[in-house]
C-alpha cells in the first residue's frame, strides 16, 4: 500500500467562492487543494485569508483566516484589495503573524485528531509572511515532539516584486520587509524551508538575488497547472451565450451591433496588466472588423475602473463590454467563445490566464516579458515585442498598435479554427494540468524530505553532528573554520553576523583566524557569560578577535555593572533590541544569534551553566540571560534556551579527561541536568572532539538511526523478521513515536496464542509485541509444576521466549518479547528471567528477551523509583529495555486486584513522571514509562473512572520545557481493552508507543470456541452420534485442532483490530 501523505497549505489570497473574485494565486491554491485531495493516499488541508468569506460547514478540509480588513497585498492592487503590507504598523504586522500561526496550529491539531496521524508537509504560498509563519510552525511543532513536518514554499511573483522595489529604494516601498525576511532565516538554508517552487524561471534568479545563500538546487521551476475539468472547450458561442454575461445596458444594444466574434482580456485593473494598450488596439481593429467585439473581465479599485471605462468612452469604442470579475466557470465559457485571448502584461509573474485560455482551445497573445516567455509557443499563440516607454500614452499606443496588428493576423489566418487553436488543449493537457504539477511537487517533497547527510563523523538521530579532529590544535582550526563559514553565510544572507562567545581556550583559538576571511565591519559580538566587574571574557575577545581584525568596538556588546539581576535584565533587553538582521527571535520569542561557541568542562558544564545548579533547571522558562550569585561572586550567563535558539552552536571537547562526559552527552537524546552539554541538542549543534575525548563514545558502537526521516520500519538499519532486542528494538519504538503509531502488546499463555498473534502481524506486515505475565508464564510451563519460588513462572517465560525466537522468523515480521507486570512480591520471577538474559547475552551478544516490566506502583514512590534504578543498572549491561509503572492501574490483572483503589491514585502528575526521568535517564535512555491517566484493567463500567489521555500531553510538556525537546518520554498505555478509539488516538499523539491488550483478546479467543460450539453443538455431545446419524463419528469436530484453530482465527482478527486502532498499519 502506498504511504499515506498528510499536507497543509497556507494560502495568501482568497479562493473564488461566496461571490468573491479570486486572483490567480488564490485560484491556483484552490486547484492544488482539490487536486491533491483527488490523489490516492493524499489528504490536503488548507487555510486562506478573507474579509468577506466564511469557513464552510460541509467541508472540514479548509478554513478561512477571517480578517477585519482587506487582504494585505505585497505590490499590486487587486479587485479585492489595495491594502498594502507596508501600511501596517509593526504591532499590527506582529499580531497578524502570531494570530495566523496560532490558528494554523490549532487547525492542524484538530485535523490530526480527525486523521489519526501527523502532518508530513507544510506548503506556504508566497515568499513572505506565510513562509516565515511556516518555518515558525515547524520549529514550534518540533518543540512539541512533532518532528516529521517539512516546510516548502511556492513563490509567487508579487512578493519578489515588493522585495526588488525595496532594494531599488522605490519611495512607495521603504526598505522594511526584505531585511526582515533575510534576518528571519526562512530562506537562508534548508533548515527553514526544505524546497522552493517558483512559477517562472525568470523569478528563480530574482529569488536568489534576494536570498543568496539558499541552495540553488532546491529552487525549481514548477509548471503552472489548471483544472481541466473547468477550463476546457465549452461549445459556447457569441450568438447564443454572450448576452447572459453582459450588463443590462449592454444587453439592450447587443442586437444592433451585428457581433459574430469576440476576443477577451482578463486581468485586474493594474497598470502593468496594460489594459490601456488593449483599448488603444480596439480603436484600430474595430474599424477593420465590424463584427468583432471585446470582452473585458476583471476589476480593481474604483478609480481604476473609472479610468479604464472612461478611456474606452473617450476612444469612441462601440463594441467593448466590461463585465467585471467573474467566476472560473464564466471565464471558461467566455474564453471558449473567443477568437483569441489578449493579455499583454508587463513581466507577468504568473501567467495562469494564458494556460486557462489555451485549455479552452483558444490561442493567446501576450508580450515578450515575464512568465509567458517560458511556455507560450508560436504553435499556440504569439508574444509581441516590448515597448520600453509603455507607461506614457505614446508608448502605450505603440504597444496597442502591435496588439492590433497581431489580432488582425490571428483573425485573417483563423488561428482559432485552423493553425493554433486545434493544438492548444492537447498542449495544456500534456504540460500544464494541475494533476501533472501536483504529482511532480509531491515527488519533489518526498525527495527533498530526505536531507543529505552532512560531512561529519557521527550524525545523531536528533540532528547533532560530531566531527573528530586529531588533537587540540585540530579543534582550534575547526573552530576558526566554523566561525568563518557562519560569518560569511550570515553576511551574504542578511548583511550582518552575530556571535556569542565565552572566555578561555575557545576565544584564544580565534587568534588563528586569517585576516580578510570575513568582513569585520559587519560582525556583532555578544557574551555567553561574564563575571561582573572583571570582564575577563570581554578582555579576551578584544585581544584575540576584535583588535586583530578591526571589529568596531561599538559592535562588541559589553556586560554592564550592577547587581546580577539588574545586569541580566539589561543584557537581555540589549539582545532583544537589536535590528532584525543582527538578532532575530525564534517562534517562542527567544533571541537568536547566528553562532554560539562553547567549551565544555569535564563535568559537562557549558559557559556558567553547571550540573544540577538552579541556572540549568531554569531552562524552558523563556529567560535569555540569567543572574548568578555564588559565594559573593556575581556573574551572568545566557540560558540553555538562548543557546538552543542560535542558528548554529559549536561545542568543543578535548583530552581523555572529558571522554566520559562526551559519551554521556552524546548518548543522551533528550539531555539531563547533570550534564548541561547534553541539553544543547538541537539540529544545528556541532561537536568538535579530538580522538581522546571521543574514545568512550566510539568504544561502543552507537546505533542511533534518524528514524523520523524513514518511510518504513524496514528502513531501520539491521531490521529483520524475528525477535529484535537492544538498539534495534529501541529504534523501532522510537520510529513508532516519530510516526505516531503504537505497537500492541498481546498477553500470550500458549503456543496457540503466540501463533495467532504472529499470524495477525504477518498478514498486515507490521511489528508486534508478545508478552508473558507471571501467571501466564506459569501456565505456559504447566500449572502442575511447583511455583512457590516462581521457578515455574521463570521456566514458562523462558520457554515462551525461546519458542517465539524459534518460530517468529517464519512469519516475516519483527517481534519484541516482553514480560508483563512484575510486582514487588514477584521479583524472584524477574530475577530468574534476568539471569537467563545474562547467560544468553554471553553466548549471543544480546538478551533472550527484548524488555521486562517492573510494576512497583503499589510501593512508595521513592521505593518504586529506587528499585527500578537498581535493576536498570543491571539491565543496561545486556542492552535490555525496562518498562516501569508509576501510578496505579485499576481493575484486575493477572490476579492483582486494584478495583478498590481510590480514584486519585489512578492519575500520575508531571512531577511524579519527571522524577522517574531524573533517576533513570543518567543510566540508560532505554526505558518506557507506564504513567497512570485513569487506566483500568479489564472492560470497566462507564463512570467508574474517567480516562484522561490529555495528562500524557502535560507530562511531555513539563519535561519538554525543561529539556528543550518535544515529547521526551516513550509511554505505555495499560488497560487498553475497551478504550475508545479517540482516546487511543490521543494517547498515540502524546508519545504512547506500546499498548497492552489482554481482556479483549482473551474474549476473542474464547468467542472463537464459543461460536464453533454453538454452530456445531449437535456434533459435540459424544464421540459417536450427530444430526447426520446415530452412528456417525464426531472426531472432526472435537479434535482440539478444529476448535483451537477457530479460537486462533478469532484472535487473529482481534489483534488486527488493535493494530488498526493504534495506527500500526501500512
Amino acid at each position: 500500500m502506498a504511504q499515506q501523505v498528510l499536507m497543509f497549505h497556507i494560502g495568501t489570497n482568497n479562493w473564488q467562492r461566496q461571490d468573491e473574485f479570486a486572483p490567480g494565486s488564490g485560484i491556483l491554491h484552490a486547484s492544488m487543494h482539490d487536486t491533491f485531495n483527488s490523489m490516492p493516499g493524499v489528504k490536503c488541508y488548507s487555510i486562506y485569508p478573507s474579509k468577506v468569506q466564511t469557513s464552510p460547514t460541509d467541508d472540514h478540509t479548509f478554513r478561512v483566516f477571517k480578517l477585519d480588513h482587506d487582504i494585505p497585498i505585497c505590490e499590486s492592487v487587486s479587485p479585492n484589495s489595495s491594502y498594502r503590507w507596508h501600511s501596517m504598523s509593526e504591532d499590527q504586522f506582529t499580531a497578524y503573524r502570531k494570530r495566523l500561526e496560532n490558528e494554523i496550529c490549532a487547525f492542524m491539531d484538530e485535523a490530526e485528531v480527525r486523521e489519526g496521524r501527523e502532518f508530513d508537509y507544510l506548503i506556504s504560498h508566497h515568499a513572505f509572511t506565510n513562509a516565515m509563519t511556516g518555518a515558525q510552525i515547524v520549529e514550534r511543532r518540533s518543540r512539541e515532539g512533532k518532528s516529521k513536518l517539512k516546510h516548502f514554499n511556492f513563490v509567487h511573483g508579487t512578493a519578489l516584486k515588493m522585495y526588488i522595489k525595496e532594494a531599488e529604494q522605490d519611495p512607495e516601498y521603504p526598505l522594511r520587509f526584505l531585511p526582515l525576511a533575510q534576518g528571519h532565516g526562512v530562506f537562508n538554508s534548508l533548515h527553514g524551508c526544505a524546497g522552493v517552487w517558483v512559477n517562472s524561471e525568470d523569478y528563480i534568479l530574482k529569488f536568489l538575488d534576494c536570498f543568496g545563500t539558499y541552495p540553488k538546487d532546491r529552487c525549481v521551476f514548477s509548471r503552472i497547472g489548471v483544472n481541466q475539468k473547468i477550463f476546457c472547450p465549452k461549445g459556447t458561442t457569441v450568438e447564443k451565450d454572450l448576452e447572459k454575461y453582459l450588463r443590462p445596458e449592454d444587453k439592450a444594444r447587443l442586437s444592433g451591433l451585428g457581433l459574430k466574434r469576440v476576443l477577451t482580456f482578463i486581468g485586474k485593473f493594474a497598470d502593468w496588466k496594460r489594459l490601456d494598450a488593449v483599448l488603444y488596439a480596439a480603436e484600430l481593429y474595430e474599424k477593420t472588423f465590424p463584427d468583432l467585439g471585446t470582452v473585458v473581465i476583471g476589476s480593481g479599485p474604483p478609480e481604476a475602473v473609472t479610468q479604464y471605462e472612461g478611456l474606452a468612452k473617450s476612444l469612441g469604442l462601440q463594441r467593448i463590454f466590461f463585465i467585471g470579475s467573474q467566476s472560473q466557470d464564466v471565464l471558461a465559457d467566455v474564453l471558449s467563445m473567443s477568437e483569441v485571448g489578449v493579455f499583454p502584461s508587463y513581466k507577468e509573474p504568473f501567467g495562469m490566464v494564458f494556460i486557462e485560455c489555451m485549455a479552452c482551445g483558444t490561442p493567446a497573445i501576450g508580450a515578450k516579458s515575464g512568465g509567458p516567455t517560458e511556455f507560450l509557443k508560436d504553435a499556440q499563440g504569439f508574444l509581441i515585442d516590448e515597448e520600453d516607454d509603455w507607461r506614457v500614452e505614446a508608448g502605450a499606443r505603440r504597444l496597442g498598435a502591435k496588439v492590433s496588428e497581431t489580432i488582425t493576423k490571428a483573425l485573417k489566418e483563423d488561428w482559432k479554427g485552423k493553425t493554433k487553436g486545434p493544438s492548444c488543449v492537447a498542449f495544456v493537457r500534456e504540460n500544464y494540468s494541475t494533476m501533472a504539477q501536483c504529482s511532480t511537487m509531491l515527488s519533489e517533497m518526498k525527495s527533498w524530505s530526505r536531507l543529505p547527510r552532512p560531512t561529519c563523523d557521527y550524525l545523531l538521530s536528533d540532528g547533532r553532528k560530531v566531527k573528530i579532529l586529531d588533537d587540540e590544535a585540530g579543534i582550534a582550526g575547526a573552530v576558526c573554520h566554523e566561525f568563518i563559514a557562519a560569518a560569511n553565510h550570515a553576511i551574504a544572507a542578511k548583511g550582518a553576523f552575530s556571535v556569542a562567545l565565552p572566555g578561555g581556550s575557545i576565544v584564544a583559538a580565534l587568534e588563528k583566524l586569517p585576516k580578510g576571511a570575513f568582513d569585520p565591519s559587519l560582525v556583532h559580538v555578544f557574551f555567553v557569560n561574564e563575571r561582573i566587574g572583571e570582564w575577563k571574557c570581554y578582555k579576551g575577545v578584544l585581544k584575540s578577535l576584535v583588535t586583530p581584525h578591526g571589529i568596531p568596538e561599538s559592535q562588541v556588546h559589553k556586560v554592564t555593572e550592577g547587581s546580577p539581576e539588574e545586569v541580566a535584565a539589561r543584557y537581555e533587553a540589549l539582545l532583544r533590541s537589536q535590528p532584525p538582521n543582527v538578532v532575530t527571535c525564534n517562534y517562542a520569542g527567544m533571541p537568536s544569534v547566528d553562532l554560539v561557541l562553547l567549551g565544555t568542562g569535564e563535568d559537562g558544564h557549558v559557559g556558567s551553566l553547571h550540573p544540577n545548579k538552579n541556572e540549568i533547571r531554569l531552562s524552558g522558562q523563556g529567560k535569555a540571560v540569567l543572574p548568578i550569585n555564588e559565594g559573593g561572586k556575581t556573574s551572568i550567563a545566557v540560558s540553555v534556551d538562548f543557546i538552543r535558539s542560535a542558528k548554529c552552536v559549536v561545542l568543543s571537547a578535548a583530552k581523555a579527561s572529558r571522554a566520559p562526559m562526551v559519551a554521556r552527552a552524546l548518548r543522551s537524546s533528550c539531555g539531563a541536568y547533570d550534564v548541561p552539554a547534553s541539553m544543547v541538542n538541537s539540529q544545528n549543534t556541532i561537536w568538535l572532539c579530538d580522538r581522546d575525548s571521543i574514545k568512550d563514545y566510539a568504544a561502543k558502537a552507537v546505533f542511533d538511526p534518524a528514524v523520523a526521516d524513514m518511510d518504513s520500519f524496514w528502513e531501520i538499519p539491521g531490521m529483520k523478521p524475528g525477535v529484535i532486542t537492544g538498539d534495534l528494538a529501541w529504534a523501532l519504538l522510537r520510529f513508532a513515536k516519530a510516526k505516531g503509531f503504537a505497537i500492541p502488546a498481546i498477553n500470550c499463555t500458549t503456543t496457540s496464542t503466540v501463533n495467532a498473534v504472529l499470524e495477525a502481524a504477518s498478514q498486515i506486515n507490521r511489528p508486534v509485541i508478545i508478552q508473558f505475565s507471571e501467571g501466564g508464564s506459569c501456565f505456559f510451563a504447566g500449572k502442575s509444576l511447583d511455583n512457590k519460588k516462581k521457578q515455574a513462572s521463570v521456566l514458562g517465560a523462558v520457554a515462551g521466549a525461546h519458542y517465539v525466537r524459534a518460530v517468529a522468523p517464519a512469519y516475516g515480521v519483527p517481534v519484541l518479547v516482553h514480560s508483563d507486570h512484575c510486582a514487588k512480591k514477584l521479583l524472584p520471577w524477574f530475577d530468574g528471567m534476568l539471569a537467563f538474559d545474562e547467560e544468553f547475552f554471553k553466548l549471543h551478544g544480546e538478551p533472550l528477551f527484548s524488555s521486562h516490566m517492573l510494576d512497583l506502583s503499589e510501593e512508595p514512590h521513592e521505593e518504586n523509583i529506587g528499585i527500578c534504578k537498581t535493576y536498570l543498572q543491571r539491565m543496561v549491561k545486556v542492552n535490555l529495555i525496562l518498562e516501569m509503572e508509576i501510578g496505579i492501574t485499576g481493575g484486575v490483572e493477572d490476579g492483582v486486584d486494584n478495583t478498590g483503589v481510590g480514584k486519585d491514585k489512578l492519575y500520575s502528575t508531571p512531577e511524579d513522571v519527571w522524577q522517574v526521568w531524573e533517576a533513570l535517564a543518567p543510566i540508560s535512555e532505554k526505558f518506557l514509562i507506564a504513567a497512570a491517566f485513569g487506566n483500568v484493567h479489564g472492560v470497566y463500567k462507564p463512570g467508574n473512572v474517567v480516562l484522561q489521555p490529555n495528562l500524557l500531553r502535560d507530562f511531555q510538556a513539563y519535561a519538554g520545557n525543561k529539556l528543550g525537546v518535544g515529547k521526551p518520554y516513550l509511554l505505555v498505555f495499560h488497560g487498553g481493552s475497551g478504550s475508545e478509539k479517540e482516546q487511543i488516538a490521543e494517547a498515540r499523539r502524546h508519545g504512547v508507543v506500546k499498548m497492552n491488550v489482554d481482556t479483549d483478546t482473551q474474549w476473542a479467543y474464547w468467542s472463537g470456541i464459543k461460536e464453533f460450539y454453538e454452530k456445531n453443538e449437535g456434533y459435540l455431545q459424544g464421540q459417536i452420534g450427530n444430526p447426520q446419524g446415530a452412528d456417525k463419528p464426531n472426531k472432526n469436530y472435537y479434535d482440539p485442532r478444529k476448535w483451537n484453530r477457530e479460537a486462533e482465527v478469532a484472535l487473529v482478527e482481534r489483534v488486527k483490530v488493535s493494530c488498526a486502532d493504534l495506527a500500526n498499519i501500512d
Side-chain angles (χ1 to χ4, degrees), residues 600-621:
T600 55
E602 293 178 10
D603 61 355
H605 79 266
V606 289
S608 293
L609 302 176
H610 291 269
N612 295 315
K613 294 291 187 180
N614 184 55
E615 292 75 32
I616 195 68
R617 293 179 180 273
L618 288 175
S619 59
Q621 298 188 13

Side-chain angles (χ1 to χ4, degrees), residues 94-107:
T94 300
Y96 182 101
R97 288 173 58 195
K98 191 61 181 176
R99 184 168 74 87
L100 179 63
E101 176 187 326
N102 289 339
E103 289 197 18
I104 291 172
C105 286
F107 189 16

Side-chain angles (χ1 to χ4, degrees), residues 42-116:
V42 178
K43 190 66 174 287
C44 180
Y45 284 77
S46 290
I47 194 169
Y48 64 83
S50 178
K51 177 183 177 182
V52 176
Q53 297 182 31
T54 57
S55 296
T57 58
D58 57 349
D59 187 343
H60 62 258
T61 64
F62 72 92
R63 188 170 292 179
V64 172
F65 179 61
K66 192 67 175 176
L67 303 178
D68 59 5
H69 51 73
D70 289 340
I71 296 173
I73 57 175
C74 291
E75 180 264 346
S76 61
V77 297
S78 78
N80 298 3
S81 178
S82 57
Y83 179 56
R84 289 182 179 170
W85 288 105
H86 278 84
S87 66
M88 277 190 178
S89 69
E90 285 302 317
D91 288 345
Q92 290 172 326
F93 183 67
T94 300
Y96 182 101
R97 288 173 58 195
K98 191 61 181 176
R99 184 168 74 87
L100 179 63
E101 176 187 326
N102 289 339
E103 289 197 18
I104 291 172
C105 286
F107 189 16
M108 293 178 79
D109 288 343
E110 292 176 25
E112 287 176 336
V113 172
R114 180 179 294 109
E115 300 297 331

Side-chain angles (χ1 to χ4, degrees), residues 923-971:
I923 303 169
S924 169
E925 68 173 348
K926 294 186 179 72
F927 62 92
L928 309 172
I929 302 176
F933 56 101
N935 324 53
V936 173
H937 288 130
V939 179
Y940 49 87
K941 295 179 181 179
N944 184 44
V945 71
V946 178
L947 199 62
Q948 296 185 26
N950 59 296
L951 288 177
L952 303 178
R953 176 199 61 209
D954 298 341
F955 302 158
Q956 298 280 21
Y958 185 88
N961 285 336
K962 290 179 174 291
L963 298 170
V965 296
K967 296 192 298 192
Y969 301 136
L970 270 68
L971 300 173

